[in-house]
Amino acid sequence: MQALSPTTTPAAQLARPGRPAVVARTLAELTGPTRGVIELPVRLMWSSERAFDLGDPDDLLWMYENVLRETTRTDDLRALINGRTLRRVWRRLNLPRGVRVAWESRHRGLRAA
């Protein structure tokens, strides 16, 4: 997998201390799955329960929250997050302030989603 530099806002927002939030350049590039069961890699979910059923609304939110908070790679965003789904669930995601600000700064449409 090709590692790309994180896209951040001019004043980098942190996903957690010492880790800048990684933001996709466009929502259209986020072509992750919209159905099925997805198992996250250990680098994104440290629990032994890393499988998420995208048909279950709670699983979907929990998976998106973990990916958006933990990723250091834009490839993860492209492979696991779907742009249309992200827009649909954005307001219901429980995200660190830095992640939310970074994404909404880059994708202003998420603020109104």
Side-chain angles (χ1 to χ4, degrees), residues 26-67:
T26 68
L27 294 181
E29 73 184 276
L30 303 177
T31 58
T34 58
R35 61 178 70 132
V37 176
I38 305 301
E39 185 167 340
L40 293 182
V42 173
R43 72 178 179 279
L44 297 178
M45 184 70 177
W46 305 325
S47 168
S48 61
E49 296 182 26
R50 297 188 317 270
F52 298 88
D53 179 355
L54 299 182
D56 178 323
D58 291 332
D59 269 12
L60 174 75
L61 294 175
W62 184 228
M63 186 193 96
Y64 273 44
E65 289 164 359
N66 278 281
V67 172

Side-chain angles (χ1 to χ4, degrees), residues 76-92:
D76 287 336
L77 297 173
R78 290 185 192 116
L80 298 167
I81 302 292
N82 180 277
R84 287 183 182 175
T85 303
L86 180 63
R87 183 181 297 270
R88 180 174 53 83
V89 301
W90 182 251
R91 287 192 174 244
R92 297 189 324 222

Side-chain angles (χ1 to χ4, degrees), residues 7 22-30 74 77-78 103 106-107:
T7 302
V22 178
V23 179
R25 288 192 175 114
T26 68
L27 294 181
E29 73 184 276
L30 303 177
T74 52
L77 297 173
R78 290 185 192 116
W103 277 84
R106 179 86 184 177
H107 305 287

Side-chain angles (χ1 to χ4, degrees), residues 93-109:
L93 293 173
N94 183 14
L95 297 169
R97 185 178 193 285
V99 172
R100 188 168 296 281
V101 168
W103 277 84
E104 289 179 353
S105 295
R106 179 86 184 177
H107 305 287
R108 300 198 187 275

